Structure formats: C-alpha cells, structure tokens
Amino acid sequence: MTAATIPGLDQTPTTHQSLLAWVRQVAELTTPAEVVWCDGSDEEWRTITGKLVTAGTFVRLRQKPNSFWCASDPSDVARVEDRTFICSTYEADAGPTNNWMDPIDMKVIMTEHYRGSMAGRTMYVIPFCMGPLTAEKPMLGVEITDSEYVVASMHIMTRMGSKALALFGDDAEFVRCLHSVGAPLKPGQKDVPWPCDQTKYISQFPEERMVWSYGSGYGGNALLGKKCYSLRIASVIGREEGWLAEHMLILKLTSPEQKVHYIAAAFPSACGKTNLAMLEPAIPGWKVETLGDDIAWLRFGEDGRLYAVNPENGFFGVAPGTGWKTNPNAMRTLYTGNSIFTNVALTDDGDVWWEGYSEVPPDRLTTWKREHWTLASDELTSHPNSRYCTPIAQCPITAPEWDDPNGVPISAIFFGGRRATTIPLVTESRDWQHGVFLGATLSSETTAAATGQVGVVRRDPMAMLPFIGYHAGDYFQHWIDTGKHADATKLPKIFYVNWFRRDADGRFLWPGFSENARVLKWAIERIEGTAPAVDTPIGWVPTTGALDMKGLDTPVEDIEAVLEVDLDEWRTEIPLIEEWFTTIGDKLPTPLHDELEALKHRLA
Ligand code: GDP
Ligand code: PGA
Ligand code: MN
C-alpha cells in the first residue's frame, strides 16, 4: 500500500508542517491499515475502550463505573532496563550507568523492526502536553502508536488530543515519540488480546528529543510521555536549561497550625511514592494533599525557591498492597471509576482483586494469567507489578494547585530506598552538598517494577538510575550546581528515609504507610527549627523522643532499632559506595569524593 492510499492519513487537524511530514514518514514505514488523529474526547474513549473489549484485551468491570480489567502477555509486565538505550552521539554522554548505542546504528536496526510493523492495525497520532496546558512554554509531544491500550492509557495519564494540539501552532517544538507493539497482522489473521514482540527496544535520542519504543505494551515502556519523555529526555533538557526532572512525588502538608509545606520525594519504582503521595496521616490535625505520585519537574521561581510541577495527569500505581488500610485515598480514587487495571485478578461478579485489596479474597477468581483460582490455590492472583491507571483529578485529596503552571515551592526533598539493614528510618543532611551525597549514594533492593532479579541491593542515585538521560557524573554535578546557583536559605532541606528496615526475622520494624506522617512532621519541625536531633556520622537522626509517638503501638525497642545508626553496618557500606563511585569514573564531582572521605573519617 502506498502512503497516499492509507485511509485517514490526509485528514490532518493541524498545519504544523514538520509534524505532518513525520506522521507521513512513519505511516510509509510502518504501513498501517489506517491513520487516526486522537482528539481526546469522551467519544474517542468510548470507541477505543469498546474496541479493546471486542478484541478481548479489556473486560468491562460491572462493579466500578467506566473501568476495565486487562491482562498482558505474561512476558510483558515491567520495564526492560537491559533493553533501554540512551543513543547520544558520543558514548561518554550516556555514561557508565546507561546502555548506549550509536544513534545511526540504532535507527538502522529499529527502522527494520518498524518496517511494516503496523500492518493490519490502526496507527494513532496522539498529541499531548506534559504539565499544565497553561504553561508559559508548554512541554509538547506526539506519540504515534499502534496500540489501543496506549491510547486509552494516554487519555488518563496525559493532557492529550485537541486541547494539546491547539498549542502546536505551525512550528512549536515537540518530542517525537514512536511506539509499535511489533505485531503486524496479515490479512485475515486473528489478533491476540495483548500483541507484543519478544524483541524489545526502548531507545532515547536525547539530542533529537526523540523516543523510539518497540515490542512492548507495558506502561513504562509504551506510555512514552512518562518515564521516556518526562525523565530521560526531560533530564537532558533540564540540564541544558538549568532545571531538574526527577522521579519524585509531590505532596502538600498542612500542620494543625495551618502552616503549609510542600514536599518532594524520590524513591525507586515500587518503593512507596504513590502511597506517600496519598497518605492519610495517623497523627491528628495533620493533612496531606496530593500533587503528583511519580515525576516532578523542579525549576527556580523568581523568589529563588525551587518550584515543582507534576507533568502527569494520572496515577500509574502498583496495585498489590493497595487497600483500605494502607491507602484509602487510592481506593476512593479507584472506586470513582474511569480506570484501567492491568495484571490484577478478576472476580466472577466483574470486579478487580489483588493481594492486599481486602483481607479475605473471594472464593474464586480469574488470575492475571487468565487461570481459574480458588482459596486452595497457592499462586499469586496478581502480578507483583500489576497496575492501576486512574485520573489524578478524581483523587479526593488532590490539591487544587496541582495544575498550577508555576508549580509549588518545595520545603523538603526526601530520598529513600528499600533497605533491610543499615539505613535508619530518617536522616537529615547537613547541607545541600551532603544531601546530594545522600541522594547520589542511595541504595535499594530491586523490585518487580523492572524485569530481572528481585531483592538485590543496588545503587540507585536519586532513584533515577534507569532514568538519567545522560552521564551520571554530569547529573551529580548538575545537582551540586543547582545548590550553588541558589540562596542556601531558600533551598529545600534534604532528608534520607527508609520505611523498609527489618529485624533479624525479616519483619518490618516500622509500620509505614499512614504512620510515615510522623516522619514528615519531624522533618517539618527540623525546617522550622523546633525538633531535636542527634548529630551522627551519617547526618542528623531523631532521638526516640523527637518523633511524635502518640497513639503508635509499635514497641519502643523497634523504634530504637529502626532509628539506630549501626557503625559496623556503615563501615561495611563504605566499600560499596567506593565501588559505586569508581563506576562513575572521572566525572564524579570532587565534592562528592570529599563527602565520602569526610564520612569515612567520621566513622573511623
Ligand atoms: P511507587 O512505585 O514508588 O509509587 O511505590 P508504591 O507506593 O506503589 O508502593 C510499592 C509497594 O510498597 C506497595 O506494595 C506498597 O504497599 C508498599 N509500600 C508503600 N509504602 C510502604 C511503607 O511505608 N511501608 C511498607 N512496608 N510498604 C510500603
Ligand atoms: P513506578 O514506575 O514504579 O515508579 O510507578 C512505573 C513504571 O514502571 O513505569
Ligand atoms: Mn507509583
């Protein structure tokens, strides 16, 4: 089929010539059966979700309005870090923490994968905007995809369609995002519920502001506005323009005295961002409101403070462990409807279920693998990385200013990971540079959010290991420079938290979830200069008495254990940090080297 005959290709709702040329070029390469420009309307949502139901990809839920159950191919359930590439011209610009390939070589390889890859399918053109549409410089993108699942998910996760396209004019800059599941259909060939290819590539071309994704339908690999654009590409743009694109939630904390503080927190995937963002505080009088659960763009305001904007429009949250006890606000959001559930279990009466959804599972379920399940089964009903996708605006505690293009001024930055030992519940950094050191040496056990072994401790700097679009050493330098450009008194204070410390039997020492509000409170009181702390070799740590423990039934021994700075554990940590810094090589900023030497000295 020649491009001129592809239905829909000439029905172009824009006069943006380079966008039109790119769409035509992709259609000629991928040869879809038709081209559809997405307008983001409710009618489009109904058409797309209807198509997905007919295809057997979606099952319409009867117990939650306008919501759908979906099971992926069992091989396509998480981000694929070993198939993720930063294709900068020079390998040195991608650095030691990224897979690199020459952009020309990558384009040659992927072009052959894309050739004819949309045959028999519809090619959707999704104009979108990351962050508020009212921004002075809206952050635009276009995703071309052959996946209806992606179109439906982008309806929730981004501001997309006509309202985004209206901002393109004739020549606005935008990030080109190309996605194909890599499963062309021959004439008459029956489709499968979750088309994908065993071969996968998630390629970022930072210099061209471009993303090419092939072979996967999973969120982090296929919803290209999310990790690919808003972290990998945006981190490169931010470095050039003097701002930060970070893997952070944003929350608003109001004290009983009605003082407001905004907090941003970076934890690796599946380490508690979404849960903290929607926290229902266990301590009376304190209130949390949500602005974002995964990504923050941090820019200096005219007053010299750092302001955060959430580029996303929805939550793509880990389902298991989400329940009325752990995260009631997520549950309220999901009960409102308008959501997509992927790789959780389906009940006989048309509802979803997952481990932790309720205390007692229904007698019978259909698992995420589409298998029959009863109470006698010992298999998990849901994949550990199963997800819900739901609009941020319908969360009952979303802060009204979440859509403010100016963002919100950040008082504190939290870094955190999942560590069974060593890392205390909370540590306050001495200053910005020490805080950057804490972030740069952040470590966490791997989780099911990415393919590969689970539970292995690795360094995950600022929770950005899989998302820094350039050299990690340059990234650390950018963080240090960010602190230098600012008035130190206006910078957020940096804290390091660990909700996941365990005792010798493997039991969590800290109850977590709503009780984490006690740590937020201590941090705010540190900022305001009212809470006590002990000066330890690793930073300021609360005394047992400094944390508000009213109403907490955790034994005091556990609290002592979770706050303990165990010098022997820290001495065994040092070689691991040294090894990590050696990996970074010559580009490791001298101040971080100095911080390590100072830590060693304090531990000696
Ligand atoms: P995200 O991927 O960083 O947004 O992480 P989530 O908030 O979705 O949480 C990932 C997993 O960690 C879920 O299974 C949660 O139930 C669990 N989790 C989140 N917060 C806590 C906590 O404070 N303590 C414990 N023990 N588990 C938590
Ligand atoms: P998250 O990432 O676990 O940080 O929410 C989602 C993803 O895998 O893209
Ligand atoms: Mn999350």
Side-chain angles (χ1 to χ4, degrees), residues 368-409:
W368 74 279
K369 290 183 184 162
R370 298 173 188 266
E371 287 164 357
H372 184 63
W373 184 96
T374 67
L375 287 171
S377 316
D378 22 75
E379 291 230 354
L380 288 177
T381 69
S382 306
H383 188 276
N385 192 41
S386 53
R387 299 275 173 162
Y388 57 77
C389 178
T390 193
I392 184 167
Q394 71 185 37
C395 174
I397 60 156
T398 291
E401 60 272 43
W402 81 277
D403 193 34
D404 185 335
N406 297 319
V408 292

Side-chain angles (χ1 to χ4, degrees), residues 226-227 269-270 272-275 293-294 316-318 387-388:
K226 195 172 177 50
K227 308 288 190 181
S269 294
K273 289 182 300 299
T274 302
N275 276 272
D293 81 321
D294 199 44
F316 183 65
V318 177
R387 299 275 173 162
Y388 57 77

